[in-house]
Amino acid sequence: MRKPETRSMNTSFFGELLQTISERGRALLERTRRVDGKTRSANLIDLCEELLSGRGEASGVALAREILSRYAMLTTGPRIAFFEALANRFGPDRARMEAAIEAWQQSPSDESAGELHQAAEPRRQELLRRLNLAPGGTASLVKMREQLLDAMDHRDDLAIVDADFVHMFSSWFNRGFLVLRRIDWSTPANILEKIIRHEAVHKIRSWEDLRRRIDPPDRFCYAFFHPALVDEPLIFVEVALARELPGSIAPILAVKREPLEPDRATTAVFYSISNCQRGLAGVTFGHFLIKQVVEEISQDNPRLSTFVTLSPAPGFAAWLKRERENESSAVITPQDRAALATLDREGWWQLPDLRAPVEQPLMRAAAYYFLHARNSRGLPLDPVARFHLGNGARLEQLHFLADASENGIGHANGIMVNYLYDLDDIEKNHEAFAENRTIVASNAVKRLARSASELVPAAG
């Protein structure tokens, strides 16, 4: 059943004011360009230089709007050329920086340090600030950064431009600007459609499927919004109330289930966290979401004492495949390798005779993966683990065949994970992970990982 269309929220007064300023500035610019043919034929980069040169507010807003409008019409090749120009032509003002360095060396002071700091800032950052003045500028820049990330798949030299986007977005999307809203069946339909579209963990297949996740008294959904992105959720989390730690996703997503009375629940399960804006990748606000949702739910459900995730393990299957192919693996014994060959058989998880021999070697390998598999920076290989451990959670429990969906089997051989948010230990766990890369885990997971290492004969 499709939810009736609901009128979206009105744009803010500030947005309307910018629109008025922009229209007046555009008229002023057009009069100027009719007189100045050279300006009229200026290309996009020249317009950026013009914007940075400093004009009145009305014309500056209009110029920012024109730049973003022209940029939106670029195809892939010219778009990459634009990013190249940002990298090569809009770095720090070298002459100003050299003068500032010399002034600091001759007379170190707060004033000369401040000038050096400003001189070292890439001109790109001021350009982004001025482009953001345009009506809808923030949304346009988030989209621009998404396209930059696409270009960076083959262009590492554009990383300096991306660093400036992340720097600016980290300020603009500071927690103080974010608004937490509960998503329920009364939420405007245009927002609900975006929740359906951006669900990245467990696909929402219909409006009725969505309603089962947000309407019952034991189901919740919360999202962060930003005032500059009207009706655009940034990140959202789906929550289920339960009486114990969940070991499988199927009961949570079941079509026919008996809702739990909230006053009987002791556990809040965060079973899906999805980012909606790819252009904000790397801008951290997910941990604020979890902490605030815990506070919100606890106010209305004081009996809740346990806050835990039921999380996917998106990189586990690929890692295990590499280990199975590695004859000198530190975690896979020859016997385990033979048993795990069953993973290559279609539908292995559906037949008891096939899945039973797989369970123990698979669980040992999974425990080793979560505790010891690291990337080049010494961080956990698993991105979901990095997120929750970095937010102060504890690796609590692993579950065999907890997600038998196509994605669950394909990405994680069915494995799912509980990360426990113990409110008394969150800060301590976060510090241990941030400072020493320490993974805080339950004794059960540690024992399982240790058994994996002990079974593999020492080299030589």
Side-chain angles (χ1 to χ4, degrees):
M1 180 181 72
R2 183 177 176 82
K3 191 176 187 296
E5 293 295 327
T6 306
R7 183 170 59 89
S8 63
M9 294 189 302
N10 294 327
T11 55
S12 66
F13 168 77
F14 183 62
E16 293 174 356
L17 179 62
L18 281 181
Q19 184 78 15
T20 302
I21 293 174
S22 176
E23 292 297 340
R24 292 178 180 175
R26 177 181 283 257
L28 176 62
L29 280 175
E30 288 304 318
R31 289 197 297 273
T32 303
R33 295 187 194 288
R34 280 197 293 272
V35 175
D36 186 354
K38 182 178 180 181
T39 302
R40 185 169 62 247
S41 62
N43 62 29
L44 191 57
I45 297 304
D46 291 335
L47 291 178
C48 291
E49 291 284 7
E50 188 177 345
L51 180 61
L52 283 176
S53 68
R55 283 174 167 261
E57 176 136 357
S59 58
V61 171
L63 190 54
R65 178 180 179 177
E66 182 171 351
I67 291 170
L68 292 176
S69 177
R70 290 194 184 193
Y71 170 84
M73 294 186 291
L74 295 180
T75 55
T76 301
R79 193 183 298 143
I80 293 176
F82 175 75
F83 293 142
E84 289 173 345
L86 291 184
N88 299 327
R89 291 181 52 174
F90 291 87
D93 184 328
R94 292 184 177 274
R96 181 185 178 189
M97 189 163 63
E98 289 171 359
I101 292 173
E102 183 177 353
W104 163 257
Q105 291 174 334
Q106 292 180 357
S107 178
S109 66
D110 290 345
E111 289 76 11
S112 58
E115 169 60 18
L116 179 56
H117 174 75
Q118 293 184 30
E121 179 184 88
R123 296 168 66 232
R124 288 181 296 273
Q125 292 188 15
E126 180 60 22
L127 176 62
L128 294 178
R129 280 192 284 266
R130 297 194 183 195
L131 289 174
N132 195 44
L133 291 173
T138 304
S140 297
L141 291 172
V142 170
K143 180 65 176 177
M144 184 184 293
R145 201 256 173 153
E146 181 178 333
Q147 295 166 338
L148 173 61
L149 291 175
D150 291 336
M152 286 174 60
D153 287 342
H154 309 287
R155 295 293 302 271
D156 292 341
D157 58 312
L158 299 178
I160 55 173
V161 180
D162 187 58
D164 288 322
F165 271 96
V166 173
H167 176 76
M168 300 306 298
F169 287 167
S170 295
S171 297
W172 299 349
F173 290 88
N174 180 283
R175 170 64 190 92
F177 297 122
L178 303 183
V179 177
L180 184 72
R181 292 167 56 186
R182 182 174 175 185
I183 305 298
D184 56 29
W185 199 238
S186 66
T187 299
N190 64 320
I191 297 178
L192 295 182
E193 287 176 339
K194 290 164 186 172
I195 297 296
I196 292 174
R197 184 166 69 250
H198 290 294
E199 164 58 68
V201 185
H202 305 292
K203 183 178 179 180
I204 299 174
R205 303 184 182 279
S206 66
W207 282 92
E208 281 303 319
D209 191 9
L210 173 65
R211 188 165 193 166
R212 285 191 292 270
R213 302 192 193 193
I214 65 175
D215 202 33
D218 61 344
R219 294 291 184 266
F220 301 88
C221 180
Y222 290 90
F224 265 150
F225 292 81
H226 189 280
L229 299 179
V230 178
D231 287 359
E232 290 288 342
L234 306 182
I235 184 173
F236 64 90
V237 59
E238 296 169 66
V239 188
L241 299 187
R243 301 190 68 183
E244 58 188 6
L245 261 64
S248 172
I249 192 63
I252 292 176
L253 300 180
V255 173
K256 296 181 179 180
R257 68 173 187 85
E258 194 67 34
L260 177 67
E261 291 296 329
D263 60 3
R264 297 179 61 207
T266 60
T267 303
V269 183
F270 302 90
Y271 66 91
S272 180
I273 301 174
S274 298
N275 287 293
C276 304
Q277 308 294 329
R278 183 166 174 262
L280 294 177
V283 180
T284 303
F285 38 65
H287 60 291
F288 295 120
L289 175 68
I290 291 177
K291 291 176 182 177
Q292 190 161 344
V293 169
V294 167
E295 293 175 4
E296 291 281 334
I297 293 181
S298 297
Q299 289 177 5
D300 295 330
N301 301 277
R303 290 192 60 192
L304 293 177
S305 57
T306 303
F307 301 92
V308 66
T309 76
L310 183 59
S311 299
F316 173 64
W319 172 85
L320 183 60
K321 187 174 186 296
R322 292 193 298 270
E323 289 297 319
R324 288 168 53 204
E325 295 170 351
N326 179 9
E327 295 294 334
S328 58
S329 171
V331 61
I332 305 294
T333 67
Q335 294 80 5
D336 285 350
R337 186 173 289 107
L340 293 173
T342 299
L343 297 177
D344 299 327
R345 295 185 59 173
E346 185 69 28
W348 63 267
W349 61 95
Q350 298 171 328
L351 302 174
D353 290 344
L354 291 182
R355 66 174 179 254
V358 168
E359 181 172 358
Q360 286 306 309
L362 186 67
M363 295 296 285
R364 286 195 297 267
Y368 184 94
Y369 167 76
F370 283 105
L371 286 182
H372 301 295
R374 307 282 178 135
N375 63 18
S376 58
R377 297 171 55 200
L379 293 169
L381 201 57
D382 188 82
V384 178
R386 291 197 298 270
F387 174 82
H388 289 296
L389 295 170
N391 291 333
R394 180 173 78 211
L395 177 60
E396 185 68 10
Q397 198 165 335
L398 309 180
H399 298 285
F400 178 66
L401 285 184
D403 183 1
S405 68
E406 182 179 352
N407 278 344
I409 295 296
H411 294 158
N413 301 128
I415 294 289
M416 294 193 80
V417 190
N418 294 137
Y419 295 97
L420 180 69
Y421 281 86
D422 187 327
L423 302 185
D424 293 331
D425 294 335
I426 284 178
E427 296 302 328
K428 180 178 65 176
N429 295 346
H430 165 75
E431 292 298 328
F433 183 79
E435 294 182 7
N436 304 312
R437 304 290 194 256
T438 300
I439 296 176
V440 180
S442 67
N443 289 332
V445 175
K446 290 178 181 177
R447 284 195 299 269
L448 200 55
R450 194 160 50 244
S451 69
S453 301
E454 291 171 349
L455 287 172
V456 179

